[in-house]
């Protein structure tokens, strides 16, 4: 299963519309998506009634573009290769490609699909671009099982068993003297006693 059945529907769903049932109530905008139903976006109140025990993710907005928190989406999807950002102290990624003028000179990282400049050495700017990459090249995946197999395989090839590593660390303890703890930080220490100006008569 390289692409989950709900992903295309998620990427084409219109979010932040007013809920037909709860539009007159606060929090009545449709910013939730059910991975089990694969239907339309719904609001906070609809979740309680129709999707109580379902897998639901919340979509957020950043500069008029839909984003999802990494903490939510990485539980159900391999997001490796997609650029993440920190917005309002939460790590997020964009759902779809965002238009951008052609990258200028000196840009070292760009999206393989749309050419958008990236901050870090990632392959894709959004989940939508990764979906195109998976379909076009087949050298990326959304499957968590495939990701876990790659990590396990890499660990077997590169690393040694944990017991062997601990033994090696223990054998070197007698060679070098222990490093002393760092000195206490003076960052919070006051420089002196504050003095008031004398009262004048």
């Amino acid at each position: 299963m390289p692409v989950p059945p709900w992903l295309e529907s998620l990427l084409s769903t219109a979010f932040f519309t007013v809920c037909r049932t709860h539009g007159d109530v606060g929090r009545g905008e449709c910013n939730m998506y059910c991975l089990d139903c694969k239907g339309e976006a719904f609001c906070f109140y609809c979740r309680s009634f129709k999707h109580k025990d379902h897998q639901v993710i919340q979509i957020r907005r950043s500069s008029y573009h839909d984003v999802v928190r990494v903490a939510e989406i990485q539980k159900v999807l391999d997001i490796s290769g997609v650029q993440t950002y920190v917005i309002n102290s939460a790590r997020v990624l964009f759902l779809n490609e965002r238009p951008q003028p052609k990258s200028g000179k000196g840009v070292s990282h760009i999206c393989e699909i749309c050419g958008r400049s990236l901050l870090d050495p990632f392959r894709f700017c959004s989940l939508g671009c990764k979906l195109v990459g998976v379909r076009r090249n087949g050298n990326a995946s959304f499957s968590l099982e495939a990701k876990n197999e790659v990590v396990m395989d890499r660990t077997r090839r590169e690393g040694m068993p944990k017991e062997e590593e601990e033994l090696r660390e223990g054998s070197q303890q007698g060679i070098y003297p222990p490093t002393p703890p760092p000195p206490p930080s003076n960052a919070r220490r006051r420089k002196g006693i504050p003095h008031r100006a004398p009262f004048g008569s």
Side-chain angles (χ1 to χ4, degrees), residues 51-106:
H51 308 276
K52 189 176 179 185
D53 298 322
H54 295 182
Q55 269 190 307
V56 173
I57 58 172
Q58 182 178 357
I59 305 303
R60 292 167 165 79
R61 268 272 156 104
S62 173
S63 303
Y64 304 104
H65 294 284
D66 298 334
V67 299
V68 63
R69 283 190 174 171
V70 168
E72 286 184 58
I73 198 73
Q74 71 182 2
K75 294 175 187 173
V76 293
L77 200 63
D78 176 9
I79 58 168
S80 60
V82 181
Q83 172 76 60
T84 60
Y85 301 87
V86 176
I87 298 172
N88 292 335
S89 72
R91 189 157 290 281
V92 299
L93 54 84
F94 286 89
L95 292 187
N96 290 299
E97 167 187 340
R98 295 168 291 146
Q100 173 185 324
K102 287 289 182 191
S103 301
K105 293 179 181 176

Side-chain angles (χ1 to χ4, degrees), residues 92-179:
V92 299
L93 54 84
F94 286 89
L95 292 187
N96 290 299
E97 167 187 340
R98 295 168 291 146
Q100 173 185 324
K102 287 289 182 191
S103 301
K105 293 179 181 176
V107 176
S108 55
H109 309 295
I110 61 169
C111 177
E112 291 179 9
I113 304 305
C114 69
R116 182 178 185 84
S117 60
L118 303 175
L119 301 175
D120 303 306
F122 287 96
R123 295 179 59 194
F124 309 104
C125 69
S126 64
L127 287 178
C129 283
K130 182 171 180 177
L131 176 61
V132 173
V134 167
R135 293 238 163 92
R136 186 183 294 172
N137 305 327
N139 60 357
S141 173
F142 286 109
S143 171
L144 288 175
E145 290 83 21
K147 180 181 179 184
N148 291 339
E149 286 175 18
V150 169
V151 169
M152 293 291 285
D153 187 45
R154 188 180 304 142
T155 305
R156 271 189 237 113
R157 279 183 290 146
E158 294 174 0
M160 58 183 102
K162 188 161 179 59
E163 297 84 17
E164 194 177 316
E165 193 175 330
E166 286 173 354
L167 284 173
R168 184 172 287 181
E169 284 178 9
S171 66
Q172 296 205 2
Q173 282 180 351
I175 300 172
Y176 303 106
T179 57

Side-chain angles (χ1 to χ4, degrees), residues 37-48:
C37 298
K38 301 181 276 289
E40 296 179 346
F42 52 90
C43 76
F44 172 80
Y45 300 104
C46 290
R47 178 182 185 171
S48 305

